[in-house]
Amino acid sequence: MEPACRKDKPKLNSTPTRGDRAKQRSAQQEVKQRQRAEIYALNKVMTELEQQQFEAFCKQMQGQGE
């Protein structure tokens, strides 16, 4: 007996080619580099803000000590 509802489906070529894999890898590297640059920029801004807040705190403490 053959199954009546069986459909022959053409196989899709789901394996990426060498060029596609290289493009994907390159795109992932670009994303990582951009994220890393954003993280460094954010870290710089946060460090500067922390320094400003610390200096303001020190001035405030000096004013209270007098």
Side-chain angles (χ1 to χ4, degrees), residues 8 12 15 19 21 25-26 50 66:
D8 291 330
L12 298 175
T15 57
R21 281 181 270 171
R25 201 173 306 122
S26 176
E50 184 180 11
E66 292 176 357

Side-chain angles (χ1 to χ4, degrees), residues 27-40:
Q28 286 176 344
Q29 286 176 342
E30 288 177 16
V31 168
K32 284 183 182 181
Q33 286 176 347
R34 192 187 88 240
Q35 287 176 337
R36 185 179 180 118
E38 289 174 359
I39 289 170
Y40 277 110

Side-chain angles (χ1 to χ4, degrees), residues 2-66:
E2 292 182 30
C5 62
R6 180 179 171 187
K7 295 181 182 177
D8 291 330
K9 295 181 182 177
K11 289 188 177 181
L12 298 175
N13 189 3
S14 62
T15 57
T17 62
R18 188 174 296 169
D20 291 340
R21 281 181 270 171
K23 286 179 186 178
Q24 261 186 341
R25 201 173 306 122
S26 176
Q28 286 176 344
Q29 286 176 342
E30 288 177 16
V31 168
K32 284 183 182 181
Q33 286 176 347
R34 192 187 88 240
Q35 287 176 337
R36 185 179 180 118
E38 289 174 359
I39 289 170
Y40 277 110
L42 180 60
N43 188 37
K44 182 179 178 183
V45 169
M46 295 301 290
T47 301
E48 290 171 356
L49 177 62
E50 184 180 11
Q51 184 64 32
Q52 289 173 359
Q53 290 176 340
F54 177 71
E55 289 171 1
F57 172 76
C58 289
K59 286 180 184 179
Q60 181 183 10
M61 295 305 287
Q62 285 177 348
Q64 289 179 355
E66 292 176 357

